[in-house]
Amino acid sequence: MGSNTTLDPKAWTWQASLRDAIRSVDELLELLGLSADQLPQLDRSPDFPLLVPREYVQRMERFHPKDPLLLQVLPLAVENQWTPGFHIDAVGDHASTQEPGVLHKYQSRALLIATGLCAVHCRYCFRRHYPYQETPKSLAQWDESIQYIIDHPQIDEVILSGGDPLSLGNAKLFGLIQRVTNIDHVTRVRIHTRFPVMIPSRIDREFIELLEKTSLAQNPKSVWMVLHVNHANEIDPALREACGKLRRAGAVLLNQAVLLRGVNDHFEAQRDLCKKLTDAGIIPYYLHQLDRVTGTAHFECDQHQGEMLIARLRDELSGYAVPRFVKEIAGQKSKTLIL
Ligand SMILES: *Cc1c(COP(=O)(O)O)cnc(C)c1O
Ligand code: SF4
């Protein structure tokens, strides 16, 4: 399906949006009215391919080679440069893997790699080199991982991550959620996802009904969703509407952003992001110093710059609107608070 197809909005599903997402650098540039000579050297066939839904491209500004949304998805040749200090597994995912697809790094929470698929490929992704082929593919394959959680009563929160867990269909996703919420000592579920941002129609009626069953049922488990919004321009009416539905269905919404050079490394960008997030009912939770993963060095900002941004945010915004500035140091008991 191309962009010229006439659509019946009722028949159009999030799966169709995902199939119709842009996978070619040249098509993306054409849609934005850009030519390659306006941009740094591109990589047209990267190992980690271009993937960006049209709904997200629509929020990019045309004729703007430094658009902050474009920079998050455009594959550049510089990603192939080797930079000292940057590694394939920068955050120690491998060392904290207990069973296939289960990372147990922090005492009270276990993280499940629910899938390797995403709605978008973020160039700064810290799991861009993750060995997803080693993780469970079907509900039955989760048996050992679920048993691991049952055997570890200190785990009271299960985090679904990936990849993007909302890449799974509703039946599979909530089948997995039910398996973990059936465990008595698991009182909370957390879902990390960029789907509501990338393809807001992913939050369909069935998703909302299943979410309500989890969070508002007789024996409810609290559901926390962490969206990954890096720039205010990502927040549009469709995302706000999806957030309203999620909140009415009982989810608490948090945001985690990454400090990215050229994208959100100045005060106005961070301030506008925090304001628009809180207006949409999303609490800014973390601002991450970039994980030093191979291929992402050109996004790195000076840590001191992040500290100054946060200090200025504190002067202007409500206390709850200022995220915690953190970095992940492999082997620590939690994320490390910088400010
Ligand atoms: C970041 C992370 C968590 C969650 O940490 P919080 O500080 O609770 O948000 C859990 N498990 C792993 C493996 C993580 O990387
Ligand atoms: S959505 Fe998350 S896991 Fe997927 S590419 Fe982006 S940062 Fe990586």
Side-chain angles (χ1 to χ4, degrees), residues 48 118-122 124-127 132 162-164 194 228:
F48 183 53
C118 295
V120 60
H121 285 172
C122 315
Y124 56 85
C125 179
F126 72 105
R127 286 209 186 105
Y132 289 114
D164 194 317
R194 284 202 99 190
H228 293 225

Side-chain angles (χ1 to χ4, degrees), residues 91-93 96 102-113 126-127 157 159 161 188 190 192 226 254 256 285-286 288 291 324 326 328 333-336:
V91 299
D93 273 350
S96 56
V102 184
L103 305 185
H104 190 194
K105 194 186 277 187
Y106 305 141
Q107 181 171 299
S108 61
R109 23 309 172 224
L111 184 150
L112 304 186
I113 303 286
F126 72 105
R127 286 209 186 105
E157 174 170 356
I159 301 173
S161 183
R188 261 168 286 121
R190 188 196 317 184
H192 279 258
V226 185
L254 303 175
Q256 115 177 355
Y285 174 40
Y286 280 150
H288 280 264
D291 295 318
R324 274 158 262 195
V326 291
E328 182 147 359
K333 284 184 174 168
S334 69
K335 314 269 187 239
T336 302

Side-chain angles (χ1 to χ4, degrees), residues 52-303:
V52 56
R54 289 174 199 274
E55 289 88 335
Y56 193 65
V57 177
Q58 276 161 11
R59 282 166 259 171
M60 296 176 186
E61 196 186 320
R62 294 196 69 200
F63 312 114
H64 183 13
K66 294 188 171 164
D67 180 272
L69 279 53
L70 174 64
L71 295 182
Q72 293 180 52
V73 301
L74 189 66
L76 299 180
V78 65
E79 293 174 24
N80 304 316
Q81 269 174 23
W82 181 79
T83 316
F86 283 71
H87 307 281
I88 298 284
D89 177 17
V91 299
D93 273 350
H94 182 72
S96 56
T97 300
Q98 307 298 333
E99 291 289 342
V102 184
L103 305 185
H104 190 194
K105 194 186 277 187
Y106 305 141
Q107 181 171 299
S108 61
R109 23 309 172 224
L111 184 150
L112 304 186
I113 303 286
T115 169
L117 303 177
C118 295
V120 60
H121 285 172
C122 315
R123 305 321 299 174
Y124 56 85
C125 179
F126 72 105
R127 286 209 186 105
R128 56 185 284 170
H129 310 285
Y130 192 85
Y132 289 114
Q133 66 282 3
E134 294 165 15
T135 61
K137 299 287 173 277
S138 68
L139 272 183
Q141 286 177 18
W142 280 105
D143 286 352
E144 289 165 52
S145 319
I146 300 291
Q147 191 59 45
Y148 179 85
I149 299 168
I150 294 172
D151 293 342
H152 290 78
Q154 71 270 38
I155 297 171
D156 64 6
E157 174 170 356
V158 173
I159 301 173
L160 302 191
S161 183
D164 194 317
L166 268 62
S167 310
L168 301 176
N170 290 327
K172 212 167 171 183
L173 175 64
F174 282 91
L176 183 58
I177 289 177
Q178 199 173 12
R179 289 196 72 181
V180 299
T181 52
N182 279 345
I183 304 170
D184 278 341
H185 59 257
V186 175
T187 56
R188 261 168 286 121
V189 201
R190 188 196 317 184
I191 304 172
H192 279 258
T193 176
R194 284 202 99 190
F195 251 100
V197 178
M198 293 297 147
I199 303 179
S201 62
R202 174 65 187 86
I203 306 307
D204 55 17
R205 185 193 296 246
E206 187 186 43
F207 182 92
I208 291 295
E209 284 169 5
L210 290 163
L211 177 61
E212 282 173 349
K213 279 197 186 131
T214 314
S215 62
L216 304 172
Q218 260 189 347
N219 182 17
K221 300 281 168 138
S222 87
V223 180
W224 297 68
M225 287 179 73
V226 185
L227 310 184
H228 293 225
V229 185
N230 291 311
H231 193 278
N233 292 359
E234 294 173 44
I235 303 174
D236 71 348
L239 173 60
R240 278 196 296 269
E241 193 189 319
C243 290
K245 288 183 196 165
L246 292 169
R247 292 168 58 216
R248 285 190 293 278
V252 184
L253 304 181
L254 303 175
N255 187 62
Q256 115 177 355
V258 183
L259 182 60
L260 297 169
R261 199 201 298 170
V263 174
N264 59 16
D265 57 343
H266 57 278
F267 175 67
E268 290 72 19
Q270 288 294 335
R271 180 197 57 199
D272 294 351
L273 172 62
C274 291
K275 280 190 182 186
K276 278 183 92 173
L277 284 169
T278 45
D279 288 344
I282 310 165
I283 305 167
Y285 174 40
Y286 280 150
L287 175 66
H288 280 264
Q289 177 69 5
L290 185 83
D291 295 318
R292 305 191 91 192
V293 168
T294 309
T296 66
H298 56 295
F299 282 116
E300 189 172 48
C301 301
D302 189 54
Q303 187 173 307

